[in-house]
Amino acid sequence: MRSSSASASPSVSASASVSASASVAGLVVGVDSGGSGLRIALARAGAGEAEPGGQVLETVASSEPVRTGAGGIDAGHLLAQVLPAVDAMVARATGAGRNGKDGRIAAVAVGAAGMATLGDRLRAELPGALERAWGVRRLALAADAVTAYAGALGQRPGAVVAGGTGLIALGTDLSGWRRADGWGHLLGDCGSGAWIGRAGLDAAMRAYDGRRGGSAALLARAEERFGPAAGLPAALYLRTDRPAVLASFAPDVAGCAVDGDPVAAGILERAAGHVAEAAAAVCPAGPAGVGEVALTGGLFRLGEPLLGPLRAELGVLLPEARVVAAAGDPLSGAVTVAAALARNELRLPEDPHLLQVTR
């Protein structure tokens, strides 16, 4: 695993060491487990306004994703990566020896892709395993959409759209959660990277066939990326990572839109409509209004060809909402949840599938 120390952002590498005073108020652990790997952060639990929680001390990252099998997410594989990594970080942070128990870990939050439907083994095995290893009883097991929400908006009411290869929207008024989409590339994920890539390849094949709605520009990009158009089905249909392959074409669609291709621009306009609809479906209603909407994830790095029409769509569907930049990513969200749990300040609503808390 790669390791870095940080005082503010887990993505900033440095060589500065942390004094033993880190253990005075306790430590928390945040874990972000996704399809591209595993990231783990060690942070201060905090002790009120004098010492705010969530200050990241160090992170480590692995490019090896946690295995998923017939029984769901493999708890043993996750623990095999997390336990030694955290013990080593605690030793560096506190000088207390290579044991998380000596460093007084106060709480742990694990955000995992697939937690809602594949997290039964994590829910069954992690509480006991972490208590035996570190003496920690406070544990939050969250869907990655929840940690994305916490990273983007903290514990404020509002809505977050997390977009990448797939897409899911999550909103809360702090009494319950509302979810839209996140149903995968066959049933939904409308407006996602996979959706945009598939629509772009459809337009490419229409141009190849001479059908209406085709784009010569997208056909040229598709053949540059994947080879001759006639071989595209064989290049895609046998892949086990089809959503990621489809999403890899989304930047080409954005590039064609920038170059003035109207078909590509139209695809991104339709994608923006889907994203805005998902945000509107989950925005909390009530006396306080719809509050804030944050966008997080690699999808929105497609830039202005998507963001321009998205701002316009949000203005129509959610005219009272404040669209804000995401404050952090899902790993920082896991740290936020763990620190709040350690201080008895967790306000995000518990849910048997989205956020399960052990105290």
Side-chain angles (χ1 to χ4, degrees), residues 76-95:
H77 190 217
L78 184 142
L79 288 165
Q81 297 191 68
V82 169
L83 293 179
V86 171
D87 286 346
M89 286 193 288
V90 168
R92 289 190 289 269
T94 69

Side-chain angles (χ1 to χ4, degrees), residues 240-351:
T240 59
D241 58 344
R242 282 187 298 274
V245 177
L246 291 171
S248 72
F249 194 59
D252 293 290
V253 178
C256 287
V258 170
D259 292 341
D261 182 65
V263 174
I267 290 170
L268 293 174
E269 288 171 4
R270 294 196 300 276
H274 288 309
V275 175
E277 288 169 354
V282 303
C283 262
V290 297
E292 297 174 323
V293 176
L295 310 173
T296 184
L299 174 68
F300 303 107
R301 289 198 290 270
L302 292 180
E304 200 59 24
L306 175 64
L307 295 177
L310 178 53
R311 284 192 295 269
E313 291 287 343
L314 288 171
V316 172
L317 295 179
L318 294 170
E320 298 178 3
R322 299 185 302 279
V323 181
V324 300
D329 64 7
L331 181 60
S332 66
V335 169
T336 294
V337 171
L341 181 59
R343 302 193 306 270
N344 291 314
E345 296 175 358
L346 185 62
R347 299 190 299 277
L348 295 176
E350 296 181 37
D351 180 278

Side-chain angles (χ1 to χ4, degrees), residues 6 15 17-18 22 31 50 73 78 97 99 144 147 149 190 199 251 257 310:
S15 58
S17 61
V18 182
V31 179
I73 301 169
L78 184 142
N99 190 315
D144 57 345
T147 50
Y149 184 101
C190 298
L310 178 53

Side-chain angles (χ1 to χ4, degrees), residues 104-199:
R104 295 178 56 199
I105 293 176
V108 178
V110 178
M115 179 72 78
T117 54
L118 300 172
D120 286 348
R121 286 189 61 184
L122 296 186
R123 288 185 279 267
E125 298 178 33
L126 258 59
L130 294 177
E131 183 174 2
R132 289 191 297 272
W134 299 331
V136 61
R137 295 188 177 184
R138 299 187 179 198
L139 170 65
L141 297 176
D144 57 345
V146 170
T147 50
Y149 184 101
L153 290 182
Q155 298 198 83
R156 305 191 302 277
V160 170
V161 180
T165 296
L167 185 137
I168 186 170
L170 204 62
T172 183
D173 58 2
L174 302 185
S175 67
W177 293 101
R178 298 178 69 178
R179 166 188 170 160
D181 215 335
W183 305 123
H185 75 292
L186 293 178
L187 297 178
D189 286 354
C190 298
S192 67
W195 186 96
I196 292 170
R198 194 241 179 245

